[in-house]
Amino acid sequence: MQSVEKMTPKSEAFKLNDFQFEGINEPVVVRYFETMNSGSFMETARLFAPDGELNPPFEEPVVGNEAIGRYLEAEAKSMKLYPQQGIVEKLEAENILKVSVSGRVETPYFGVNINWLFLLNEHQEITSATIKLVASPQELLNLRQFKS
């Protein structure tokens, strides 16, 4: 059986741009949002383990630092990420931190609620980042029409 230890978030909040990021004190996760919002996508990619994986919605996983950097350069240029709150859990059996973050992504064309799930190894590298849309069926249909 897998042991999970919920970690109590510190009362401090990280300030990114003009919003508060509650409940997360993992520097690599905070840095992910900072580099994404500054457009430093290759720096974002370097936060991942060499075989780290980015799992964007509706697409195949993107694996490896170079591939992640290229993907973000192509797909994330006009995005601004607004994490709002999160929870950190330590998965004892695997010596991995699981960081769940909820928030919003805004582009010039649309905004959508998002959940991010990060898995961090013992070296504070992102081994996996999964992005899930939290949207109604109509919102998802509108996004699909926009993407086409």
Side-chain angles (χ1 to χ4, degrees):
M1 178 162 195
Q2 180 173 301
S3 171
V4 175
E5 173 190 333
K6 287 205 177 193
M7 300 176 76
T8 307
K10 293 185 178 178
S11 59
E12 64 187 290
F14 284 91
K15 187 160 176 70
L16 293 173
N17 300 327
D18 293 325
F19 59 94
Q20 295 291 320
F21 185 12
E22 300 287 341
I24 299 298
N25 58 1
E26 292 304 319
V28 71
V29 174
V30 173
R31 191 76 187 128
Y32 173 90
F33 290 105
E34 289 173 339
T35 58
M36 286 291 293
N37 282 344
S38 71
S40 304
F41 301 121
M42 291 311 290
E43 190 175 340
T44 305
R46 287 191 290 274
L47 298 172
F48 285 78
D51 60 347
E53 187 173 281
L54 175 67
N55 298 288
F58 310 121
E59 297 188 37
E60 293 295 316
V62 182
V63 180
N65 304 98
E66 289 297 318
I68 291 168
R70 286 191 309 271
Y71 174 84
L72 293 174
E73 285 283 341
E75 299 294 330
K77 282 189 179 178
S78 63
M79 292 183 182
K80 288 294 179 192
L81 285 55
Y82 297 96
Q84 295 168 348
Q85 61 184 358
I87 294 176
V88 178
E89 298 176 74
K90 184 169 181 154
L91 306 179
E92 292 290 337
E94 295 90 10
N95 198 24
I96 291 175
L97 284 182
K98 176 182 168 185
V99 182
S100 303
V101 178
S102 61
R104 188 157 179 84
V105 170
E106 297 285 340
T107 76
Y109 308 104
F110 65 87
V112 66
N113 292 326
I114 299 284
N115 285 335
W116 292 269
L117 174 62
F118 298 94
L119 298 179
L120 309 178
N121 65 20
E122 65 274 6
H123 305 292
Q124 288 294 295
E125 298 171 314
I126 301 170
T127 58
S128 176
T130 302
I131 298 119
K132 293 188 178 189
L133 301 179
V134 182
S136 71
Q138 184 60 46
E139 289 171 316
L140 291 175
L141 181 60
N142 292 342
L143 289 176
R144 186 177 178 130
Q145 290 171 347
F146 169 75
K147 182 114 175 148
S148 300

